[in-house]
Amino acid sequence: MKFKKLTPPADGEKIEVKNGRLHVPDNPIIVWIEGDGTGPDIWRAAHPVLNTAVELAYEGKRRIVWFEAYAGEKAQAVYGELLPDDTFKAIAEYIVAIKGPLTTPVGTGFRSLNVTLRQVLDLYACVRPAKWYEGVPSPMRHPEKVNMVVFREATEDLYAGIEWEKGTPEAQKVIEWLKKEFGIEVRPDSGIGIKPISEFASKRLVRKAIQYAIDNKLPSVTFMHKGNIMKYTEGAFMKWGYEVALTEFRDYVVTEQEVNEQYGGKVPEGKIVVKDRIADNMFQQIQTRPDEYHVIATMNVNGDYISDALAAMVGGLGMAPSANMGDYIALFEATHGSAPKYAGKDVVNPSSVILSGVMMLRYIGWHEAADLIEKGISETIKQKRVTYDLARHIGVQPIKCSEFGQAVCENMKALVEKVLA
Ligand code: NAD
């Protein structure tokens, strides 16, 4: 692989896909992008946590070899452009990558750097877990019951971006065409938006969501849709979802209807229940009966709303990790933006990017290191050593972003020493 300005580290090996599975060496090269605004702050805290966890969990036998690629302002400085080809190539070649937040440029050809990365690399599933850690302030009475993962389709629906402004020749043309061809009246002063939902994109998203439930031994997958109103887009998503479940995963799943009609309301041992909920009801259910939902598969806009609602229920954006996944390529990222007003102040919560690192470690199968970080974060929060976003709700003095990272490292070391003692 020829890069224009990047030099891959000599002391690591590539993660490869063989027979449909990831092959991860003990010294995998992982691409990282620092990001804009608070990106450098959160990475200064996150890198030591990820490295320490791997070192502790595998006693030095495993190690991440970090390979920096550039996007956003740093790329502008190095390449004179915001998203250089080298960055796409590096992620595609090394398969697993993790990034900090990127400021959306104003007045350039990019709608958003994040959206461009997803589209160019065909990262069609935006995966966002919502899990509560003890001690994190939450508006829920029983936040411990919240443990869901949202699979949000990331290439179509309103993300396809088919829109025309009121009064433009394009909008007028579509309005006239609708009238002439279908006798449909649309007010002439309307803006127009079109949402495509395809069988191909819906099925590959659902396939990934069900496979995730199987791999992680989770009890249910729920299709969230507004199919009662939008029958041929949202309704079709649900229909295609059931088709995938029943044709490709028949041995692993039962539908909720089958549970009720054939199994007397009791889920057969070891089976994953596949169900669907209308979007508005889903919002109620995640709050009133959170423990009945585990994986939620949905389209772009629904997924956007529900994942932020879930993030709020478990501690807000500072605690919310995510991943953008294609068939194999996975780009993990902090969910929040670059929060420019806090840039360089060493105050924001680095947990989002650290927990994205936890997702990444699980993706490469390094569960011991991932478990250790989760325990380290829990312990640190229980000790009320938290950044400003959580401190103001708990009513304690905040610690700095870097101090939080150090505290997690200390707690991980203490946990390992306790086990060894
Ligand atoms: P933001 O997420 O950057 O910040 C909004 C608020 O959330 C902040 O003012 C802060 O109060 C809080 N917050 C954010 N990160 C936090 C953290 N780690 N710890 C504690 N609190 C945190 O959203 P914004 O201000 O709307 O966007 C700023 C820029 O980031 C924009 O250019 C936007 O387009 C971009 N953005 C990027 C991504 C991404 O890279 N995935 C996501 C969202 C926004």
Side-chain angles (χ1 to χ4, degrees), residues 125-364:
C126 176
V127 184
R128 285 189 51 184
K131 178 177 172 184
W132 182 74
Y133 293 92
E134 205 181 328
V136 175
S138 159
M140 301 286 289
R141 246 191 301 160
H142 289 290
E144 72 283 359
K145 291 186 177 174
V146 183
N147 194 354
M148 291 174 231
V149 183
V150 178
F151 278 72
R152 168 191 175 205
E153 207 289 327
T155 64
E156 49 183 35
D157 193 352
L158 301 192
Y159 245 30
I162 310 173
E163 265 203 310
W164 294 286
E165 193 181 352
K166 179 204 99 170
T168 54
E170 291 84 359
Q172 276 169 5
K173 205 166 171 181
V174 176
I175 292 170
E176 279 159 24
W177 175 75
L178 286 169
K179 170 94 175 110
K180 192 162 150 249
E181 288 291 320
F182 304 106
I184 295 170
E185 289 284 354
V186 174
R187 289 195 182 94
D189 61 344
S190 300
I192 299 286
I194 294 178
K195 65 180 262 162
I197 303 283
S198 71
E199 179 174 356
F200 172 78
S202 302
K203 284 190 165 174
R204 70 177 176 174
L205 184 273
V206 168
R207 196 172 289 127
K208 215 168 187 58
I210 297 178
Q211 190 61 53
Y212 181 88
I214 293 170
D215 293 344
N216 291 282
K217 302 190 173 38
L218 297 172
S220 76
V221 176
T222 305
F223 307 135
M224 172 189 179
H225 63 90
K226 191 74 183 162
N228 52 333
I229 305 294
M230 293 171 272
K231 296 185 194 311
Y232 305 119
T233 49
E234 305 246 340
F237 174 87
M238 172 195 67
K239 182 179 130 234
W240 292 323
Y242 279 115
E243 271 175 30
V244 168
L246 295 176
T247 54
E248 299 178 26
F249 296 99
R250 182 65 275 198
D251 292 346
Y252 296 92
V253 303
V254 279
T255 64
E256 191 173 44
Q257 192 178 2
E258 288 168 344
V259 171
N260 291 329
E261 291 174 1
Q262 296 169 26
Y263 298 99
K266 202 169 172 317
V267 180
E269 180 78 25
K271 298 279 183 185
I272 296 167
V273 183
V274 176
K275 46 194 172 183
D276 70 279
R277 294 289 179 271
I278 289 176
D280 34 336
N281 183 25
M282 190 79 239
F283 272 94
Q284 289 196 57
Q285 301 268 315
I286 57 165
Q287 295 179 62
T288 54
R289 310 158 83 118
D291 47 351
E292 292 179 17
Y293 299 94
H294 308 90
V295 174
I296 298 174
T298 191
M299 289 144 286
N300 194 270
V301 178
N302 293 333
D304 197 13
Y305 300 153
I306 199 96
S307 50
D308 265 28
L310 280 163
M313 287 159 58
V314 295
L317 283 183
M319 296 296 297
S322 77
N324 303 291
M325 298 184 143
D327 285 339
Y328 301 104
I329 296 175
L331 173 60
F332 298 84
E333 68 169 336
T335 303
H336 55 72
S338 54
K341 72 176 175 186
Y342 294 116
K345 297 198 170 132
D346 195 19
V347 294
V348 295
N349 189 345
S351 297
S352 175
V353 81
I354 296 174
L355 290 170
S356 302
V358 168
M359 286 178 85
M360 181 186 85
L361 290 169
R362 295 205 185 282
Y363 186 62
I364 63 170

Side-chain angles (χ1 to χ4, degrees), residues 13-17 22-25 28-33 64-69 87-99 121 123 323-325 328-333 356-357 359-365:
E13 286 172 63
K14 262 190 221 168
I15 294 174
E16 287 181 303
V17 178
L22 284 193
H23 277 248
V24 181
I29 296 177
I30 289 187
V31 175
W32 73 286
I33 295 170
I64 292 174
V65 180
W66 298 102
F67 177 18
E68 183 170 12
T87 301
F88 294 111
K89 276 192 199 161
I91 299 171
E93 179 77 6
Y94 291 92
I95 300 174
V96 176
I98 181 164
K99 67 180 267 298
L121 294 164
L123 306 178
N324 303 291
M325 298 184 143
Y328 301 104
I329 296 175
L331 173 60
F332 298 84
E333 68 169 336
S356 302
M359 286 178 85
M360 181 186 85
L361 290 169
R362 295 205 185 282
Y363 186 62
I364 63 170

Side-chain angles (χ1 to χ4, degrees), residues 36 38 42 99-106 111-114 118 316-319 322 324 333-342 347-353 387-390 392 401:
D36 300 324
T38 51
I42 57 177
K99 67 180 267 298
L102 294 171
T103 299
T104 302
V106 179
R111 194 150 62 103
S112 144
L113 299 181
N114 297 304
R118 287 176 196 151
L317 283 183
M319 296 296 297
S322 77
N324 303 291
E333 68 169 336
T335 303
H336 55 72
S338 54
K341 72 176 175 186
Y342 294 116
V347 294
V348 295
N349 189 345
S351 297
S352 175
V353 81
T387 46
Y388 84 93
D389 52 321
L390 304 184
R392 65 185 167 190
C401 175

